Amino acid sequence: MRLVVFGRQGAGKGTQSARLAAHFDAPHISTGDMLREAAAAGTPIGLEAKGYMDAGRLLPDEVMLGVVEERLAQPDVLEHGFLLDGFPRTLGQAEALLGITEVDVAVNLEVPEEVVIERISSRRVCKGCGRIYSVAEPPSTNWTCDTCGGEVVQRPDDTSDAVAARLATYQAETIPAVHWFDTKGLLVTVDGVGTPDEVAERLIAAVEARLAERR
Ligand SMILES: [Zn+2]
């Protein structure tokens, strides 16, 4: 199983990617997590990635492709396939990916912009332990974490201006890659609004239906 998952920030892409990967027994490759781990470990690629991320920029395509190509050559991928989460992010990366491997299905987890803006801008996070709250479901006393007593705040990245900027980048850079997979006949679009269980069921059914068509 070789899967690519697309979705706007706040669409639940990370959660659903993990569930899909578990269902299809394929390694979940989150390029964001890989880069953060590499940066924390201080590897050359990690330090280069950190420079770009700290400046709020996307890594150059050739750097990202090198990272992904190396990961796709690992034994677990050769045996079980992969689920790519966070790559490709641009049309250039999409074209390059199909130059190094085949892809069975590209999933587009569709959640409207206004829904993700509402989800993210109402999110609040404990500075101590990272527990997630929301304006609708705050801690029981005065924005103090129920778990650790830490201060519960809005992250600077979660303000509606910051979210709008990232959504505009997604629209300009990533949507062309999504459309490109559609022109290849590889795209399945799934409604991502609902509980995590509902969305996971929908996703698995849609991917299985597409695989059955292709057999
Ligand atoms: Zn806490």
Side-chain angles (χ1 to χ4, degrees):
M1 170 63 76
R2 291 156 300 187
L3 269 175
V4 170
V5 180
F6 289 105
R8 292 188 176 86
Q9 195 212 7
K13 178 166 66 73
T15 307
Q16 294 298 337
S17 290
R19 295 180 68 149
L20 271 181
H23 181 84
F24 290 108
D25 190 28
H28 175 196
I29 300 174
S30 160
T31 48
D33 287 350
M34 278 175 67
L35 293 176
R36 278 187 289 275
E37 283 162 18
T43 67
I45 197 93
L47 295 176
E48 187 176 359
K50 187 172 185 310
Y52 285 99
M53 290 187 290
D54 286 351
R57 291 163 57 201
L58 294 181
L59 264 71
D61 284 355
E62 65 275 14
V63 177
M64 277 308 303
L65 191 69
V67 170
V68 170
E69 195 165 6
E70 200 176 287
R71 181 65 186 88
L72 295 186
Q74 300 297 312
D76 59 337
V77 170
L78 298 178
E79 189 173 347
H80 297 282
F82 57 82
L83 182 150
L84 270 174
D85 164 10
F87 184 93
R89 259 207 187 152
T90 64
L91 180 56
Q93 290 179 359
E95 290 171 342
L97 178 66
L98 288 204
I100 58 173
T101 182
E102 286 181 52
V103 169
D104 297 310
V105 181
V107 175
N108 180 25
L109 184 59
E110 180 56 35
V111 176
E113 281 202 3
E114 57 273 21
V115 176
V116 300
I117 290 172
E118 167 65 23
R119 271 186 198 173
I120 299 168
S121 60
S122 68
R123 184 161 65 193
R124 299 293 181 270
V125 180
C126 172
K127 283 167 90 171
C129 69
R131 180 167 166 186
I132 308 277
Y133 296 89
S134 76
V135 172
E137 292 172 63
S140 51
T141 47
N142 197 27
W143 298 106
T144 300
C145 180
D146 294 334
T147 303
C148 77
E151 188 187 356
V152 176
V153 298
Q154 182 175 44
R155 284 193 290 229
D157 268 8
D158 288 349
T159 60
S160 37
D161 282 356
V163 175
R166 286 196 300 275
L167 289 175
T169 302
Y170 185 83
Q171 193 66 33
E173 303 282 343
T174 307
I175 291 292
V178 176
H179 288 161
W180 185 78
F181 275 101
D182 200 13
T183 66
K184 299 270 170 197
L186 295 172
L187 191 74
V188 173
T189 293
V190 175
D191 177 6
V193 179
T195 68
D197 284 347
E198 286 165 357
V199 175
E201 243 173 68
R202 241 179 252 153
L203 275 169
I204 289 165
V207 171
E208 283 179 342
R210 173 56 61 93
L211 290 173
E213 270 169 36
R214 289 174 45 134
R215 271 187 202 114

